[in-house]
Amino acid sequence: MSSKIFRSLLMSALLVFLFSCSEEDSSAEEEKPSETPEEAVDSFSYIALQNDGTLYTIGNNTGKVVQTDRIPGIEFNTIFNSVTSSGSKIFIYEHRFDPPKGILYIYDKQSGKTVSAILDFPEEFGENTALMSLDWDEENQNLVGITREDLELPTSFKPVKVVRIEPDTFKVTTTSEVDLHSMGYSNVYSTSLMGQKIYAVTLKNSNWDPDLLEIDLENDAVEVLPVTGREAGITNLGNSGNDHTLFGFSPVPNSSLMAEVRPVTFNVQDGTVKEVSKVPRISALNIAHKTFYNKEVKEFAELIGADNKKHLFKYRPSTGEYEMIEIPDPKSIFSVVNIIGVTEL
């Protein structure tokens, strides 16, 4: 049962050699050596997490995948939108169904050590309450999450609430009166925290017809943001710390390419959507998580599919340029994997 739930939450999908030579003038009677392309060298690696807790590194310039570690205790049901990072630590949430319990893991990137605890939700929550999202709040030095009861059901008729979690004590508190269920929402697929506002991709039923919400934590207010010109909305949200621009991927309706998406930026102030130009047709590996932002080099990083291969997709908002690095061995990682951090070489 848990595997079916996991698949429905993540909606996983999918998933020239150029040669040139020049001839010297025959009178020179000598040949110019052919130039060989410089071999790509990685300056850092991205950390990727598989749903069963397996960790990999992916070279930022070579795409080389290396299995490095495994988070102890994780079994299968990692909820990728409930994975976030504070810099030195990565927070990972897994939900168990028999018996129901939610476990928060804190992985230290420097030491490689992990601590974990079963989350104790407040009394007003039911016994099968789970986190659908988790974001690190740098300002308050704690975690902000969105919870839902009866996670096993395709839709739920219980409150969908915002909570805060203290990273040192694992204490869970309800600090907002916002209840998304009262607005008809039952699912949250992707979130991004900017300041004290959560931007959330939400559904009212099991069909993909998403709304993008702005949840103001300071004023307990919720607003539906219009996403002009994008029939299927935007998901896999990420932000660079800019207080008004999100990055994400917009699904292409009725496409002949499975799980086709387009990379876009979205201005939350005026609703402007801009598609990243000259990107070939690409597919999402899953549409229920966040896109990782590397603060050191100021680029977004995501795993995507293209031409029946897996690629590392990199986008720099400062220049508007993107790059696709082919994963040399596509079987080295599965589709149910997500970039969650970065490590220097």
Side-chain angles (χ1 to χ4, degrees), residues 1 56 67 110-113 130 206-207 215 222 264 283 332 334:
M1 178 183 293
Y56 302 87
Q67 183 176 331
Q110 296 178 340
S111 68
K113 295 181 179 180
S206 59
N207 298 323
I215 305 171
V222 182
V264 298
S283 298
S332 57
F334 295 101

Side-chain angles (χ1 to χ4, degrees), residues 17-244:
F17 174 72
L18 297 179
F19 173 82
S20 64
C21 63
S22 60
E23 296 181 356
E24 293 290 325
D25 188 275
S26 58
S27 62
E29 296 185 350
E30 67 178 46
E31 294 184 358
K32 184 179 180 180
S34 60
E35 295 183 0
T36 57
E38 292 185 8
E39 185 177 353
V41 177
D42 295 319
S43 54
F44 57 87
S45 294
Y46 283 108
I47 301 171
L49 173 72
Q50 196 167 280
N51 64 297
D52 63 358
T54 304
L55 292 172
Y56 302 87
T57 58
I58 303 174
N60 69 308
N61 291 322
T62 66
K64 182 180 179 180
V65 176
V66 178
Q67 183 176 331
T68 58
D69 205 350
R70 183 165 182 163
I71 305 295
I74 293 180
E75 294 183 356
F76 184 81
N77 285 320
T78 299
I79 298 178
F80 283 123
N81 191 50
S82 295
V83 178
T84 190
S85 174
S86 66
S88 63
K89 292 180 172 60
I90 298 173
F91 304 89
I92 303 166
Y93 177 76
E94 180 189 28
H95 193 73
R96 306 280 181 83
F97 293 89
D98 189 21
K101 59 182 176 182
I103 305 173
L104 181 63
Y105 301 84
I106 302 180
Y107 174 77
D108 189 303
K109 291 192 297 182
Q110 296 178 340
S111 68
K113 295 181 179 180
T114 303
V115 296
S116 63
I118 298 173
L119 294 181
D120 185 14
F121 289 95
E123 291 184 0
E124 65 264 28
F125 291 86
E127 65 175 9
N128 197 14
T129 296
L131 288 173
M132 291 188 291
S133 77
L134 195 63
D135 289 273
W136 174 253
D137 184 348
E138 184 67 24
E139 180 180 337
N140 291 294
Q141 291 292 295
N142 59 20
L143 296 154
V144 181
I146 299 176
T147 67
R148 170 182 154 184
E149 293 185 50
D150 293 336
L151 192 65
E152 290 181 277
L153 301 179
T155 57
S156 175
F157 298 95
K158 301 292 182 63
V160 177
K161 304 282 287 185
V162 178
V163 299
R164 287 190 181 270
I165 304 172
E166 296 303 322
D168 297 326
T169 64
F170 294 93
K171 183 180 179 181
V172 183
T173 57
T174 306
T175 57
S176 173
E177 296 302 317
V178 168
D179 176 13
L180 299 185
H181 177 262
S182 67
M183 300 175 63
Y185 297 105
S186 59
N187 294 297
V188 175
Y189 276 81
S190 183
T191 54
S192 187
L193 180 68
M194 290 198 292
Q196 292 303 300
K197 293 180 179 180
I198 302 175
Y199 294 89
V201 179
T202 56
L203 299 179
K204 291 188 175 182
N205 51 52
S206 59
N207 298 323
W208 185 257
D209 184 21
D211 284 337
L212 179 60
L213 304 184
E214 180 185 80
I215 305 171
D216 189 329
L217 300 176
E218 293 181 333
N219 299 303
D220 279 341
V222 182
E223 181 181 355
V224 180
L225 301 182
V227 183
T228 307
R230 292 290 161 180
E231 180 183 343
I234 304 172
T235 189
N236 295 1
L237 303 180
N239 76 78
S240 61
N242 185 310
D243 61 358
H244 63 270

